[in-house]
Amino acid sequence: MLLVTDVTAVTMDADRRVIADAAITIDGTRIVAVGKATDLVDHHPDAERVDGRGMLALPGFVDAHAHADQSLLRGRTDDLAWIPFIAEYVTPYLTRRDPAVAVAAYRLAMLEMIRSGTTCFVSPNVDPRDDLDALTTAIDTMGVRAVLAHWVDGPDTLDLASAAVEDWDGAAAGRIKVRFGLDIPRLPGDRYQPGLYRATAERADALGSGLVSHFCSETEDWTYYEDRFGLRPTQWAEDQGILGPSTLLINGCWLTAVEAGILAATGTPVVASPTATMKMASGVTPVRDLRDAGVIVALGTDGAANNNSFDLIREMKAACLGQNSSRRRAGTLTAEDALEMATIDGARALGQADEIGSLEPGKRADLILVDLARAHTWPVADPIANLVYAAHGGNVDTVIVDGRVLLRDGGLAAVDEAAILADAARAATEAARVLPVRARRWRYE
Ligand SMILES: [Zn+2]
């Protein structure tokens, strides 16, 4: 039994209760009780204590769009629009790198996630060449929860993805899920493969899995579908049978009101990644409109290549700023909205809201403690405002996943941080050999 004491519990339950002077009891992998400390502490005199005095307790964050394998590209792809970003950097990196590099990249990404409170992430477009045994072992060892979306761009990779689902879905005591990372055309010249998209959806359905796909991110994405089919991308996707609650659509910057209605009617969730899409000038996901239409909208960082971070706390602030500025109305997306996206709505978007996303009895014990007693988050008039608008990942003090303490007092419990950083540095140097050298304007001596 683990007893987390003296916290302010931001439960994210259906009533959105925020409980001061709270305690949380954990038995094995699950939460047993969340309530006032006076009601819980005396009942468990022998429990192992985690003293959270003065801290917020929250469900662990869900980063629903996190290219963990791109962490090694941090600082190498700035100031680029999406086509040179993908064509000149990401694709050469992915196609020419040593698959072993992926493990070092994933471990670095997960290290940053744990340090910034992310306990579950979605890695889209997992490279078919990657060693899933090694990747899932790395995820298991780091202790977090993940959804790996195996890349599908044709019949061969569809079969490989099916095998990956059969072999690895449910690995790491159920903490790893495997989905199909569907590639759909975005530009004239991209391969259009009639039958593949529906076949992938049917295979995913048969295996009890789901789809993850980048979708309507750029102006080019929607002009392709309008020019070729006379349809908006979401209308085309509905015709192909790829929408539904077990599909996760990434970005959707250019979704219209008509499309929001289709997504709501089919129960299809979207994940917004505001920092990356604003940085690359792709656009701003219409989060407010989608939420108002009844679409579940999760939050994602996209990752270190174009964010340049996996810090979901900073992403919550970016989400609010992007909505407010694009709508030219303060409060278009509030701190409470953003926290829902990063927690319970992320869990709903992954079909895992029965297990994670809130602090409630019976759910998995995935929770974090955030210390706001720092100069940049003090005083605490409104803990949610401070968390979203003032904090960053460095405020995270403690991380627990499935009842296992991964981070405590800012220290990693079972991971050699120095070794991960050293491995990542070596792998990044190796990976960079396939990238163009970017000119620097300043003189570095
Ligand atoms: Zn992406």
Side-chain angles (χ1 to χ4, degrees):
M1 184 74 80
L2 201 60
L3 182 65
V4 180
T5 59
D6 296 324
V7 292
T8 296
V10 183
T11 65
M12 304 308 293
D13 65 9
D15 296 327
R16 299 293 187 264
R17 292 182 304 153
V18 178
I19 308 171
D21 304 317
I24 300 162
T25 54
I26 298 166
D27 191 8
T29 60
R30 294 190 183 271
I31 295 169
V32 175
V34 182
K36 287 290 186 184
T38 50
D39 296 334
L40 294 175
V41 171
D42 292 345
H43 292 107
H44 303 285
D46 300 327
E48 180 186 345
R49 300 277 184 108
V50 174
D51 181 2
R53 193 163 307 158
M55 296 191 211
L56 296 184
L58 297 143
F61 298 128
V62 177
D63 187 340
H65 177 199
H67 293 275
D69 58 341
Q70 293 177 16
S71 65
L72 305 181
L73 297 180
R74 189 182 339 252
R76 295 191 184 276
T77 60
D78 298 315
D79 309 324
L80 294 169
W82 76 287
I83 292 177
F85 169 74
I86 290 176
E88 296 175 22
Y89 292 86
V90 173
T91 300
Y93 164 74
L94 290 176
T95 54
R96 294 171 60 190
R97 67 169 164 77
D98 179 347
V101 161
V103 175
Y106 268 70
R107 292 174 77 208
L108 175 64
M110 290 187 282
L111 179 64
E112 184 184 352
M113 291 176 194
I114 292 169
R115 284 210 160 281
S116 53
T118 291
T119 55
C120 178
F121 71 98
V122 178
S123 191
N125 304 351
V126 172
D127 192 321
R129 298 176 310 135
D130 284 346
D131 179 349
L132 276 174
D133 192 7
L135 281 186
T136 53
T137 299
I139 294 166
D140 193 16
T141 304
M142 295 294 286
V144 297
R145 211 173 283 283
V147 177
L148 304 177
H150 189 288
W151 180 241
V152 175
D153 63 353
D156 292 346
T157 45
L158 175 57
D159 287 340
L160 284 173
S162 303
V165 171
E166 289 174 327
D167 289 347
W168 303 108
D169 188 50
R175 284 187 285 106
I176 295 174
K177 310 285 187 196
V178 182
R179 287 193 179 195
F180 295 76
L182 185 60
D183 176 37
I184 60 173
R186 307 178 66 175
L187 288 169
D190 284 357
R191 269 200 305 174
Y192 179 70
Q193 303 178 80
L196 174 68
Y197 318 112
R198 184 177 301 279
T200 305
E202 289 172 355
R203 192 79 66 88
D205 197 37
L207 293 172
S209 180
L211 307 180
V212 176
S213 182
H214 291 76
F215 192 78
C216 200
S217 307
E218 321 287 339
T219 53
E220 291 89 342
D221 288 83
W222 64 263
T223 51
Y224 173 90
Y225 292 94
E226 292 207 331
D227 291 348
R228 177 153 185 167
F229 305 106
L231 297 171
R232 291 292 305 178
T234 308
Q235 294 169 321
W236 172 85
E238 187 178 33
D239 284 354
Q240 297 293 319
I242 62 175
L243 300 183
S246 56
T247 291
L248 178 67
L249 299 179
I250 296 171
N251 290 336
C253 296
W254 298 96
L255 291 167
T256 60
V258 169
E259 295 173 282
I262 297 170
L263 296 175
T266 54
T268 310
V270 173
V271 50
S273 302
T275 300
T277 57
M278 290 192 288
K279 185 171 181 236
M280 297 202 301
S282 302
V284 177
T285 308
V287 174
R288 179 77 271 160
D289 297 342
L290 292 171
R291 283 170 61 96
D292 289 347
V295 179
I296 298 168
V297 187
L299 191 61
T301 57
D302 203 331
N306 52 5
N307 185 301
N308 305 13
S309 159
F310 289 96
D311 183 341
L312 209 61
I313 295 181
R314 287 192 281 179
E315 202 63 28
M316 290 193 285
K317 181 173 182 175
C320 297
L321 305 191
Q323 294 302 298
N324 295 356
S325 58
S326 63
R327 294 284 287 266
R328 300 186 70 187
R329 183 169 65 81
T332 297
L333 195 79
T334 66
E336 289 85 352
D337 294 333
L339 185 55
E340 288 177 348
M341 294 169 67
T343 56
I344 186 64
D345 286 349
R348 293 170 68 209
L350 302 184
Q352 297 189 39
D354 290 344
E355 291 282 80
I356 59 172
S358 62
L359 301 179
E360 295 182 79
K363 282 202 177 182
R364 295 281 175 179
D366 290 11
L367 59 107
I368 65 173
L369 302 185
V370 178
D371 183 7
L372 297 180
R374 313 269 180 88
H376 66 279
T377 43
W378 198 258
V380 186
D382 179 337
I384 309 303
N386 279 23
L387 174 72
V388 172
Y389 295 137
H392 52 64
N395 286 78
V396 174
D397 174 273
T398 295
V399 174
I400 299 171
V401 176
D402 249 2
R404 179 182 169 207
V405 178
L406 305 183
L407 186 77
R408 179 77 191 107
D409 295 330
L412 289 147
V415 170
D416 184 346
E417 183 162 17
I420 292 174
L421 297 179
D423 280 352
R426 273 193 297 273
T429 300
E430 184 61 34
R433 294 185 205 282
V434 304
L435 302 178
V437 176
R438 303 200 66 213
R440 285 172 153 172
R441 288 195 304 165
W442 290 4
R443 179 168 145 174
Y444 287 77
E445 299 183 342

